Amino acid sequence: MNLYHCAIDLKHEAKALAFAAAVDHWMGYLRTRGVIRSWRLMRRKLNLAADSCRDFLLEIEFDDMTQLDRAFRVLGEHDEEVERLYGAVSALIARSEFGLYRPFPDPERAERMALL
């Protein structure tokens, strides 16, 4: 499993519930296409965070790197629905930071560590 982690701040005029609905539609579409495993959207609570923390966290789970690659290929399609759904999300975002994570230690590393 791989976790694509997105830290997001919205544009000042963007509405949080509209953003959540747009993310739900976009992620739902990607899930029905079979290019993501699952996802969740979280919002900072009580403004309890360092200044470097963004307001929203979007975490998207992928079974493997092949599935992640297929998700990016969907984004590259010249399809009106893809452009509409993706555009509805990206139009509301002012700043974002991304990272790809994996469980650690992973099974391969655990096996190597056991041989030491």
Side-chain angles (χ1 to χ4, degrees):
M1 188 258 308
N2 294 281
L3 183 66
Y4 193 70
H5 184 268
C6 313
I8 301 165
D9 280 335
L10 299 183
K11 293 178 180 176
H12 289 292
E13 66 277 5
K15 303 293 184 199
L17 290 176
F19 174 68
V23 168
D24 184 53
H25 290 119
W26 176 230
M27 292 296 114
Y29 176 81
L30 293 175
R31 191 152 189 222
T32 61
R33 293 278 305 263
V35 297
I36 67 172
R37 175 195 273 186
S38 65
W39 64 277
R40 67 180 175 172
L41 180 65
M42 296 167 287
R43 189 172 192 187
R44 185 170 53 193
K45 186 170 183 174
L46 301 174
N47 206 25
L48 184 60
D51 290 341
S52 61
C53 293
R54 302 282 177 242
D55 195 23
F56 287 91
L57 290 177
L58 173 61
E59 295 180 341
I60 308 167
E61 289 186 18
F62 298 92
D63 294 324
D64 51 34
M65 295 301 288
T66 301
Q67 190 179 39
L68 175 64
D69 184 58
R70 288 194 333 258
F72 279 112
R73 288 181 189 274
V74 166
L75 185 58
E77 293 175 358
H78 296 288
D79 178 272
E80 287 183 27
E81 186 171 15
V82 168
E83 290 176 15
R84 180 182 60 79
L85 292 169
Y86 175 77
V89 174
S90 64
L92 301 174
I93 296 174
R95 289 181 304 196
S96 59
E97 298 171 343
F98 305 91
L100 184 63
Y101 294 84
R102 63 182 169 86
F104 187 83
D106 54 359
E108 294 82 14
R109 182 170 300 272
E111 288 178 18
R112 284 191 304 224
M113 290 174 65
L115 296 174
L116 297 177

